[in-house]
Amino acid sequence: MNAIELDFGAITIDNSTFKSEGYKFDEGLLAQMKQFKESPVRVLQTDIVHNEAINHIGQEITKTRTAIGQTLRSANKQLKIKSDVIENARELLSIDGSEAEIAEARLKEYYELIDAEIVDSEKYTDLSLLTRM
């Protein structure tokens, strides 16, 4: 097999891509990133985008938790579903951990799937100079 010549050695994913793909790491474009796991192309993620993704995923988790709570209260009030059934549903629909912990775990699992590496931006650039520019 002939070696493939590339004009690049690494790629990264911006948070806008995560968002446009609905943070669905196991399907679509984001799932296709695993093609780079065994390739000469490295997947690098800056800590800045990583932290931004944690915040955005955390916001989505908060919205979902709020919606579940509101729906369960409404089911009890409007549909007269018994409290013990509501509590069972609440338990089934909950996951332990803070929003940031859950988001971090999801991203870590995704990075392992695609063999991505988080890059510490401060090691490679002066961030205060960059933000001033």
Side-chain angles (χ1 to χ4, degrees), residues 22-81:
Y23 304 101
K24 297 177 191 169
F25 299 119
D26 55 351
E27 61 185 71
L29 179 66
L30 295 177
Q32 291 176 26
M33 291 295 294
K34 61 185 160 190
Q35 69 182 301
F36 297 106
K37 188 169 187 166
E38 302 296 327
S39 82
V41 177
R42 295 176 58 198
V43 180
L44 302 176
Q45 187 65 288
T46 66
D47 54 346
I48 295 167
V49 172
H50 173 74
N51 292 332
E52 183 182 8
I54 288 173
N55 288 334
H56 288 205
I57 293 168
Q59 290 170 359
E60 294 299 319
I61 292 167
T62 298
K63 287 180 199 175
T64 301
R65 284 177 163 169
T66 300
I68 288 170
Q70 290 171 341
T71 300
L72 291 175
R73 282 189 299 279
S74 180
N76 178 258
K77 182 178 177 182
Q78 302 302 327
L79 302 175
K80 305 301 182 201
I81 296 175

Side-chain angles (χ1 to χ4, degrees), residues 48 121-133:
I48 295 167
S121 301
E122 289 183 356
K123 286 174 88 173
Y124 300 99
T125 188
D126 179 349
L127 291 179
S128 63
L129 174 63
L130 182 63
T131 54
R132 284 194 309 268
M133 295 171 71

Side-chain angles (χ1 to χ4, degrees), residues 107-125:
L107 283 167
K108 182 180 177 193
E109 182 179 314
Y110 178 62
Y111 295 156
E112 287 173 7
L113 176 73
I114 65 172
D115 199 25
E117 176 186 342
I118 298 174
V119 177
D120 181 2
S121 301
E122 289 183 356
K123 286 174 88 173
Y124 300 99
T125 188

Side-chain angles (χ1 to χ4, degrees), residues 82-98:
K82 295 180 183 178
S83 294
D84 60 329
V85 174
I86 296 293
E87 286 310 309
N88 285 339
R90 186 181 315 279
E91 189 174 315
L92 288 171
L93 295 171
S94 68
I95 184 169
D96 291 334
S98 70

